[in-house]
Amino acid sequence: QVQLVESGGGLVQAGGSLRLSCAASGRTFSSSAMGWFRQAPGKEREFVAVISWSGTSTYADVVKGRFTISRDNDKNTVYLQMNSLKPEDTAAYYCAARPGRVTYTERARYDYWGQGTQVTVST
């Protein structure tokens, strides 16, 4: 199994930056696709970014050019660098893992989830 713990959320002004971290435990981390999803109040959880075991990344259009996903397999950690934050980025951000070499953007494809970390962007 894979256990995930997110950190790094907080309150930031529009235009600012935050870096989220997701620490993973378990022997399958290096062979798993790692994704970030977010969920705002009253909204469904939506895809943000995913990075494959080999480092290939995919982004939702609304964050493309502003967010960067990366992973450090030696540290069993995946990151989400968020720049030029907007109020509409406000949400609980969740780290997710899917064992295997194929990346997906659908939340139903992911087997493991962290507890979430709150990101609030003020105007």
Side-chain angles (χ1 to χ4, degrees):
Q1 64 176 359
V2 178
Q3 295 180 339
L4 308 172
V5 179
E6 303 99 331
S7 62
L11 176 64
V12 65
Q13 291 183 317
S17 299
L18 284 174
R19 188 181 72 164
L20 306 183
S21 298
C22 175
S25 62
R27 297 177 62 253
T28 62
F29 176 81
S30 62
S31 61
S32 296
M34 301 295 298
W36 285 97
F37 293 75
R38 66 187 185 185
Q39 187 169 22
K43 303 291 185 179
E44 294 185 352
R45 192 169 300 182
E46 65 178 5
F47 168 76
V48 175
V50 62
I51 186 166
S52 73
W53 67 275
S54 61
T56 301
S57 59
T58 302
Y59 299 91
D61 288 341
V62 293
V63 306
K64 197 172 300 180
R66 299 188 296 121
F67 291 10
T68 302
I69 189 171
S70 61
R71 67 190 297 165
D72 186 337
N73 289 341
D74 291 334
K75 297 181 178 179
N76 291 339
T77 302
V78 62
Y79 305 95
L80 185 68
Q81 178 66 47
M82 305 184 295
N83 298 325
S84 301
L85 283 163
K86 305 175 181 179
E88 50 263 47
D89 295 319
T90 295
Y93 283 71
Y94 296 87
C95 179
R98 185 188 191 279
R101 296 186 176 184
V102 180
T103 59
Y104 295 91
T105 61
E106 300 88 355
R107 65 178 182 177
R109 295 284 190 173
Y110 289 82
D111 302 295
Y112 304 101
W113 295 85
Q115 84 289 346
T117 185
Q118 179 67 37
V119 172
T120 302
V121 184
S122 64
T123 58

